[in-house]
Amino acid sequence: MTDKTMPALRFRGFYDAWEQRNLENEVISIGTGRSDSTSGIKKSREFLFPVLGSTSVISYDNKYDYSGEFVLTARVGANAGNLYKYKGNVKISNNTVYIQATNLNFIFYLLMKFNVKKLSFGTGQPLVKASELKKLNLYFPINGEEQKNWFIIQPTRKSHHSKRA
């Protein structure tokens, strides 16, 4: 952004400044995974649903607790604040914070730009809490149409997607 309210790159026809908004009010949900699972189970006919951990799939289960597209980060440890995306029917471990949003690519971009690692705290193990993400204020376009394709002009980062997605 050239300043806090005007990004350097814009789509033609969009000239309004961006305004600061609370992240919790701009997404569907922010939470910490609560799924029970056994780690280390391989994918099979019986165990089809990924269990998402702090950085990727850590196991598989025969049931899922969450469905949709997610931005996820480790809640505690060295990976706290590192982001990844996943799409599908999943379980989410209690060591993982998730966000669901209508425009997930835009939210992912904003959080990458913000650098969620800045939210981590603690003297031993770094910690990122869902409650801290909920309080986060970021700049959003006044016109919601501008954020729909914003990710097209931004550098991409590897995402994880289920094969069924």
Side-chain angles (χ1 to χ4, degrees), residues 35-91:
S35 298
D36 291 327
S37 65
T38 303
S39 63
I41 295 176
K42 304 280 187 220
K43 187 174 184 178
S44 68
R45 287 183 188 190
E46 183 181 357
F47 300 104
L48 294 173
F49 302 106
V51 178
L52 303 179
S54 60
T55 61
S56 64
V57 175
I58 59 171
S59 191
Y60 287 87
D61 203 284
N62 60 356
K63 296 178 186 161
Y64 65 91
D65 298 328
Y66 302 89
S67 184
E69 294 183 69
F70 307 90
V71 170
L72 304 109
T73 184
R75 187 179 64 79
V76 64
N79 291 310
N82 289 345
L83 301 173
Y84 73 101
K85 294 188 283 185
Y86 201 93
K87 179 180 180 178
N89 297 324
V90 300
K91 286 193 167 199

Side-chain angles (χ1 to χ4, degrees), residues 94-151:
N94 64 0
N95 192 36
T96 307
V97 175
Y98 68 88
I99 298 172
Q100 287 188 288
T102 303
N103 194 349
L104 201 68
N105 287 319
F106 184 75
I107 297 300
F108 184 79
Y109 160 73
L110 284 181
L111 292 171
M112 290 293 292
K113 194 87 169 148
F114 174 78
N115 185 7
V116 175
K117 278 193 164 291
K118 292 191 300 188
L119 292 178
S120 66
F121 63 94
T123 56
Q125 293 275 17
L127 179 68
V128 172
K129 295 170 47 177
S131 60
E132 294 300 314
L133 282 171
K134 288 177 180 180
K135 292 188 262 182
L136 188 59
N137 289 313
L138 299 170
Y139 283 90
F140 289 81
I142 291 171
N143 185 332
E145 290 296 311
E146 187 173 5
Q147 63 179 276
K148 286 184 179 177
N149 293 314
W150 182 254
F151 70 96

